[in-house]
Amino acid sequence: MSVRSDARAAATVERIAVWGVAVLAVAALAGLVVGPGADLRTAAPSADFEGSYDNATGAVTVTHAGGDDLTGESVALVVTDADNDTTTRLLWANESTLPVTEGDSVTVDDPRVDSNGDGNYLDADRSVGFYLEPGDTVDVVWTGRLTGAPETRTETLETITIGDETG
């Protein structure tokens, strides 16, 4: 074998090795950016919520009971009156007030009871224009952009039914 063909063989092996190292470096970098086990198609935040209903005041309190901190663009409550299928969307937190973390809560009331006697029947953090009753639902809705995703998504993280999960 000539010196010239040995040099070509060495150059070819060297190129393959360099390309192999480059591919491994890119794969490692992608793994660091995306994170282990990340699934970009279904990786909405995972959080648990609890609801408690106080019939005397006509108020439901929704509490972040554990799981991921909620960041992104907004967290909203969509309250549905089961009797006439009316919905009201109420903002829980936006970009300036996020994250929503474990232990955070928001209370929604209806115009039935002036619980603090000040003449204003809307006494909670947020209010709806209909009476809250068993069977009504409260959806916790997150809007944000997932890591690496090209656009924003909206996901319902939990549905609380007054009279079921609530007291």
Side-chain angles (χ1 to χ4, degrees):
M1 193 185 263
S2 73
V3 174
R4 190 174 199 173
S5 60
D6 285 344
R8 274 191 186 162
T12 302
V13 170
E14 185 178 297
R15 285 181 186 154
I16 291 171
V18 168
W19 278 106
V21 169
V23 167
L24 288 174
V26 169
L29 183 60
L32 288 173
V33 170
V34 174
D39 181 353
L40 298 179
R41 294 167 294 155
T42 61
S46 175
D48 295 320
F49 297 89
E50 294 175 350
S52 62
Y53 176 64
D54 183 346
N55 190 42
T57 62
V60 62
T61 300
V62 177
T63 304
H64 185 305
D68 295 337
D69 291 349
L70 302 180
T71 59
E73 292 183 14
S74 67
V75 178
L77 302 176
V78 177
V79 185
T80 303
D81 182 353
D83 292 337
N84 54 14
D85 202 29
T86 302
T87 62
T88 300
R89 183 180 179 90
L90 306 168
L91 185 64
W92 180 349
N94 61 20
E95 289 179 87
S96 64
T97 57
L98 286 169
V100 172
T101 61
E102 185 173 352
D104 289 348
S105 65
V106 62
T107 301
V108 177
D109 71 356
D110 66 27
R112 176 178 10 168
V113 178
D114 178 11
S115 61
N116 62 8
D118 67 354
N120 180 355
Y121 284 78
L122 305 176
D123 299 316
D125 302 317
R126 311 288 184 273
S127 299
V128 293
F130 50 85
Y131 292 168
L132 294 171
E133 302 170 320
D136 293 347
T137 59
V138 180
D139 292 332
V140 179
V141 179
W142 168 84
T143 301
R145 192 171 137 312
L146 304 172
T147 304
E151 56 191 46
T152 8
R153 270 176 59 175
T154 299
E155 296 284 334
T156 299
L157 301 178
E158 183 100 25
T159 299
I160 298 167
T161 302
I162 295 175
D164 287 351
E165 289 91 352
T166 57

